[in-house]
Amino acid sequence: MAGKKISAFKNEPLTDFSKSANKKAFEKALKKVESELGKEYFVIIDGDRIRTNQTLRSLNPSNREQVIGTFYQANEEYANKAIELAHEKFLKWRTVTPEKRAQYLFKAAAIMRKRKHEFSAWMVYEVGKSWVEADADTAEAIDFMEFYGREMLRYAGDQPLVKLPAEKNRLLYIPLGVGAVIPPWNFPLAILVGMTTAAIVAGNTVVLKPSSDSPSIAIKFFELMEEVGLPKGVLNFVPGPGSGMGDALTKHPLTRFIAFTGSKSVGLHINKAAAETQTGQLWIKRVVAEMGGKDSIIVDNEADLDKAAEGVLYSAFGFQGQKCSACSRAIVVESVHQKFMSKLLDKAKTLTVGNPVDPKNYMGPVINDKALGSMMWYIDKAKQEGGEIVFGGTKDDTVGSFLTPTIVDNVKPKDTISQEEIFGPVLAVIKAKNYDEALEIANNTEYGLTGAVYSKNKNKIERAKAEFHVGNLYLNRKCTGAMVGAHPFGGFNMSGTDSKAGGRDYLMLFTQAKVWSEKVK
Ligand code: NAD
């Protein structure tokens, strides 16, 4: 592709599964992936495949008897070794031109596009995504590579500086060093690919520690980067437990940055550990942490209630509510509460739950039994605090970890399920006296990730723009489904370090600006 003009960025289109050719292609991919389940995967450091003395089996959350893959686990020693070798590799990788680095991303995006259903099929099996959700995840991963590749070229171009008469000045974005990339399981491809490729294209090397709930998807991406010829050791694959091994990655003095997406508690823990200077450490570690949410949709008395009910429903229950952007609170102005609830409950009855290999199932399982237990605890807590379960609330953990979509009405603004992230298909409905109170409630948590308002009143929409304190605010539409480039994504307060994935600022987080000024007269 060198020398070829690069087209403008365009989002990858989503697959229309109502077309029988697409449906057949996806079924074929599911079969292919099914035939590949249960293999063994190594720790991979500087290209070396390593068998350790500990393994972890990744299981299908729809059917725990199905082993997706067995993964050798790294311990602290391997974590240290990975960082040290990646540091050595960095000294070479940083000299590769931005253009060449970007080519690896473009090439990987092209192959992923060709085999997109296969990548999606892994997600159906390993984390229980429906076809549509998995397809969107893969499309986003492709978008990240296409977007960050182009962004790197923009960053590598001339940066505007004030001209001085007797000097030549230049600002260059240079890489940082070795990064530990620590993604979650819920966008097991998109987020992992986004953080990893942003770091790599900016000239850093990466030690990738995948989530223990989605290591197969991570290794498929690693294999793709091998296929495009990324030099050995630029990306290292180090699965293992968060505590212990994960801490070793954060604490190593040669670790220059940590790119993390996950829960508030782990994000804060990493932030604290990274702030402690280790012997021999030459820099202040950079932490890019994208964390949890407690996202609200306000339903105003002047809203189109059909659209609001639909927006709330799909934001709350898409991928079983396991999105950081998921609507977990509907804040409804009292005067329309009854009407809104009857529409919402009617729509909720249409949702289907089951193994997502079958595309008729809108919702699949939740990620594992531990998560299911925590969701049931929250449902119980909601009842104790006066909430009324008006829909769902039942689990089925016989073969997998299933929970019906659950709607809890009469939740008070400070109740536990109104404040804490549940990360499952549990929606709290809260009444507000009026729009003022609705806005106040929307801002009453420690998070600030996404939010939405349904109202036909332009003044109220303007007020939301000014007063609803979230990183991604949606108006008269659902609060999930951010698109790379169009909706740079990331939240405020305890939702993270205010970064914006898929936006023009993002690569800045993986670089540092060097300025040189040369006397010319
Ligand atoms: P998690 O915090 O449990 O785990 C995230 C990652 O951190 C995993 O890879 C895990 O193995 C690792 N980890 C755990 N302890 C560690 C340690 N001590 N050191 C290093 N790594 C460690 O989160 P999860 O359950 O995987 O994901 C769900 C969470 O992610 C939710 O809170 C969700 O809101 C959040 N999330 C946020 C965004 C966003 O953009 N803000 C996007 C997706 C998910």
Side-chain angles (χ1 to χ4, degrees), residues 1 6-7 9-13 101-117 119 137-150 189 193 197 220-221 224-229:
M1 234 164 149
I6 308 235
S7 59
F9 171 79
K10 267 206 320 242
N11 292 108
E12 180 66 16
R101 298 195 307 252
Q103 292 309 323
Y104 290 107
L105 271 60
F106 297 143
K107 228 167 147 185
I111 297 177
M112 191 180 281
R113 185 175 292 116
K114 267 199 207 134
R115 298 212 306 257
K116 73 155 66 160
H117 295 331
F119 281 92
D137 199 317
T138 307
E140 191 177 357
I142 295 169
D143 281 352
F144 277 133
M145 291 191 276
E146 296 281 6
F147 187 79
Y148 293 143
R150 285 167 176 75
L189 190 63
V193 167
T197 60
K220 293 297 139 192
F221 170 67
L224 170 67
M225 296 316 278
E226 278 189 327
E227 190 178 334
V228 302

Side-chain angles (χ1 to χ4, degrees), residues 441-505:
I441 298 168
N443 284 330
N444 81 353
T445 75
E446 60 184 347
Y447 296 104
L449 191 46
T450 75
V453 174
Y454 280 89
S455 178
K456 290 184 205 154
N457 181 319
K458 285 206 168 98
N459 293 331
K460 288 177 178 167
I461 293 292
E462 289 310 308
R463 273 194 62 197
K465 288 180 190 167
E467 295 173 34
F468 197 159
H469 193 60
V470 290
N472 288 73
L473 176 64
Y474 297 99
L475 302 161
N476 290 312
R477 55 149 287 181
K478 66 185 176 109
C479 65
T480 55
M483 301 289 284
V484 170
H487 311 126
F489 187 83
F492 301 149
N493 297 347
M494 285 298 174
S495 292
T497 47
D498 316 309
S499 57
K500 281 284 187 251
R504 285 164 66 96
D505 308 335

